[in-house]
Structure formats: C-alpha cells, structure tokens
C-alpha cells in the first residue's frame, strides 16, 4: 500500500494536488492513503510516526529545498515529487528526486511526473521482493548448515 504525503504552502493548492494524485492513482487501480499538510513541522513529526512511501512537495523557494533535503536524509528510499517556483533541477538530481516540476505546472507535466513516480515505485517493490527472497534463501541455507552441525555434536 502506498502512503503519500502532500506538503504544500496553501490549503487549496494542497487539496488540488491531492485530488490530482487520487485521480491518477485510481486510474491505475491504486488506492493510496493520502494525507495533505500545510505546516512542515507537523508534517515531519507525523511522518516519523508513519513512514511515507512517497511525498509530493509543493513548497516555494528554499523552503522546498530544505524540506527535500531533510526528507531524503530521514527516508532515503522515499519517493519524492517536487514542485518549485525556483530552478532546483540540479539539487533534485543530487537528492534522487523522482520528478522535479518548475512552476507553472500543466497537466502533461503532472501526468509525466506521476508516470515516472509509478514506474520507480514498482521497481522498488520488485527489488524489495527479490531482496526478501534472496534473504530467505540465505537464511534457509544457514539454518540447514546449523542443523547439520548440531546433528554432528
């Protein structure tokens, strides 16, 4: 299940992005848990209680950059879609942001960003499933070695 946080400066803007994300996801058969925030302090306290799988950042200026950096430091695997009024493309690249929008945002840009986000989230899930299977195989072989050792004793 996807847990997506939307962090925006204004309530109306946040609700609009939440609505667009919900429509995109339902069109792809995904029904995420969505929560919108307008206050960074509240947002960061809340995500420490319940880790998001992804965050849509819609913060202007350096506030967006600071939020993206802090979010990446807390959750390196969290998906980030970032919308800003300033040119932070290079910063977004360094922070491994899935998609960066420069305002003004149009529907085509939004769809493209969400498509990239969805592809990456699916890849992370598949990678996680493969890692889990590899871990189980390793654990199983170690358990077998241990049981043989115990029989010899």
């Amino acid at each position: 299940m996807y847990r997506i946080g939307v962090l925006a400066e204004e309530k109306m803007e946040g609700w609009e992005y939440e609505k667009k994300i919900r429509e995109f996801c339902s069109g792809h058969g995904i029904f995420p848990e969505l929560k919108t925030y307008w206050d960074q302090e509240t947002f960061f306290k809340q995500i420490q209680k319940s880790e998001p799988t992804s965050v849509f950042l819609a913060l202007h200026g350096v506030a967006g950059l600071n939020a993206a950096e802090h979010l990446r430091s807390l959750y390196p695997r969290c998906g980030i879609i970032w919308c800003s009024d300033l040119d932070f493309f290079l910063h977004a690249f360094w922070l491994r942001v899935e998609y960066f929008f420069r305002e003004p945002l149009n529907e085509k840009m939004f769809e493209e960003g969400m498509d990239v986000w969805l592809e990456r989230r699916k890849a992370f899930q598949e990678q996680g499933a493969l890692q889990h299977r590899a871990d189980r195989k390793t654990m199983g072989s170690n358990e077998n070695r241990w049981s043989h050792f115990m029989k010899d004793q």
Side-chain angles (χ1 to χ4, degrees):
M1 167 125 168
Y2 295 107
R3 283 181 311 285
I4 302 172
V6 177
L7 179 56
E9 287 188 22
E10 300 172 16
K11 288 182 180 183
M12 291 303 291
E13 182 183 35
W15 287 332
E16 187 63 34
Y17 285 130
E18 181 180 331
K19 178 182 171 194
K20 286 181 179 192
I21 293 168
R22 194 175 305 281
E23 288 172 359
F24 174 86
C25 289
S26 66
H28 288 82
I30 300 168
F31 302 96
E33 177 185 321
L34 273 162
K35 182 98 170 134
T36 302
Y37 302 88
W38 305 276
D39 173 44
Q40 285 192 54
E41 187 176 333
T42 304
F43 169 74
F44 282 109
K45 282 182 183 175
Q46 188 61 40
I47 66 170
Q48 289 179 359
K49 295 175 189 170
S50 178
E51 180 179 342
T53 54
S54 301
V55 173
F56 189 99
L57 287 176
L59 297 174
H60 300 284
V62 178
L65 174 61
N66 291 339
E69 288 175 339
H70 189 59
L71 182 61
R72 181 57 71 218
S73 71
L74 291 174
Y75 302 111
R77 293 182 56 93
C78 178
I80 301 174
I81 298 175
W82 180 13
C83 180
S84 178
D85 60 336
L86 297 179
D87 184 359
F88 287 126
F89 288 101
L90 190 55
H91 291 84
F93 174 76
W94 287 333
L95 292 168
R96 295 177 328 278
V97 168
E98 268 132 340
Y99 205 83
F100 179 83
F101 303 103
R102 175 108 190 262
E103 291 181 333
L105 179 63
N106 63 43
E107 286 301 316
K108 183 180 181 215
M109 291 166 58
F110 182 81
E111 286 287 324
E112 185 177 304
M114 291 302 293
D115 283 336
V116 169
W117 166 80
L118 185 58
E119 285 178 33
R120 287 229 179 132
R121 293 296 97 198
K122 287 180 179 178
F124 275 132
Q125 284 180 334
E126 289 172 8
Q127 184 182 36
L130 291 173
Q131 183 62 45
H132 179 69
R133 277 188 241 138
D135 290 346
R136 287 181 62 200
K137 284 181 181 177
T138 303
M139 279 179 41
S141 63
N142 286 341
E143 288 170 3
N144 290 338
R145 283 188 216 138
W146 180 254
S147 63
H148 290 299
F149 174 75
M150 294 302 288
K151 286 180 185 176
D152 293 339
Q153 295 297 321

